[in-house]
Amino acid sequence: MPDAAVYGPPSLDKALGSLPVVASFLEDLNVAGIIDELCPVRDVALATHGQIIEAMIASRLTSPTPLVRVIDWARAWAVDHCFGISPQVLNDDRLGRALDAIAPHLDQIAGTVGATAITRFGLDVSQIHWDMTSISLYGAYEQADADYAQPRYGHPKDRRPDLKQIQTGIGTSADGAASRYSTAPTTAAQPKCRR
């Protein structure tokens, strides 16, 4: 009688797509390290704020949908392999706590990540070209947050002087690398995964 075939454990089917590239760029820019230095967590945390924010960035880049049910995205994608965190950690409450933790440090985080990108990728920032535009807004905005640009009447590019506006734009360095700038809240490495 022939020996019975022995099968291994069932295989897992998870999307990979551009996730290794995103993980590699985030690691090169030290996004998690920068965030974790400014926003430490308790030793009992299952993931740091930096890890959570990196996973949120990867979610937006690989599956640009609203940041709800990110846990479902993480179960379908190889997040545990590329970022070293369990999909169960990415529940809505944990995402909210990470966003709350980084909110007071956004300028420092963006500046440090930007400076890291300039150094890491050798960007020439001796000359920046700005392309400004206006965004028209509907609503009264009577109690706008003083920490942000105030919507005001002006001369918008869409020729709607009856609407308040904010200015926003994009800056491009002399070597062609782009960075975004806003006056109001608006929103070649080898691919690898972390172990």
Side-chain angles (χ1 to χ4, degrees), residues 8-16 74-82 85-88 195:
S11 63
L12 294 174
D13 185 17
K14 292 194 173 200
L16 195 57
R75 286 180 182 135
W77 287 72
V79 171
D80 49 351
H81 180 70
C82 289
I85 58 175
S86 169
Q88 274 59 2
R195 294 237 176 236

Side-chain angles (χ1 to χ4, degrees), residues 25-149:
F25 272 105
L26 292 171
E27 184 176 19
D28 285 350
L29 295 174
N30 191 29
V31 172
I34 291 166
I35 292 171
D36 293 340
E37 185 175 326
L38 293 168
C39 312
V41 295
R42 297 179 300 158
D43 292 339
V44 296
L46 299 175
T48 67
H49 294 311
Q51 289 175 303
I52 299 297
I53 298 299
E54 279 191 343
M56 291 172 70
I57 292 168
S59 172
R60 293 293 297 156
L61 292 174
T62 59
S63 181
T65 57
L67 284 172
V68 293
R69 294 186 294 280
V70 173
I71 193 169
D72 294 338
W73 164 83
R75 286 180 182 135
W77 287 72
V79 171
D80 49 351
H81 180 70
C82 289
F83 290 95
I85 58 175
S86 169
Q88 274 59 2
V89 175
L90 297 172
N91 61 66
D92 291 345
D93 290 338
R94 183 61 182 95
L95 300 183
R97 286 194 304 275
L99 291 172
D100 286 343
I102 68 168
H105 307 284
L106 289 179
D107 289 339
Q108 192 171 3
I109 292 168
T112 307
V113 171
T116 303
I118 290 167
T119 303
R120 172 68 178 89
F121 300 113
L123 303 177
D124 177 11
V125 292
S126 60
Q127 187 176 36
I128 303 290
H129 304 278
W130 291 102
D131 180 20
M132 299 297 289
T133 191
S134 59
I135 300 172
S136 295
L137 304 170
Y138 294 85
Y141 298 96
E142 294 168 3
Q143 297 178 354
D145 191 332
D147 292 337
Y148 297 100

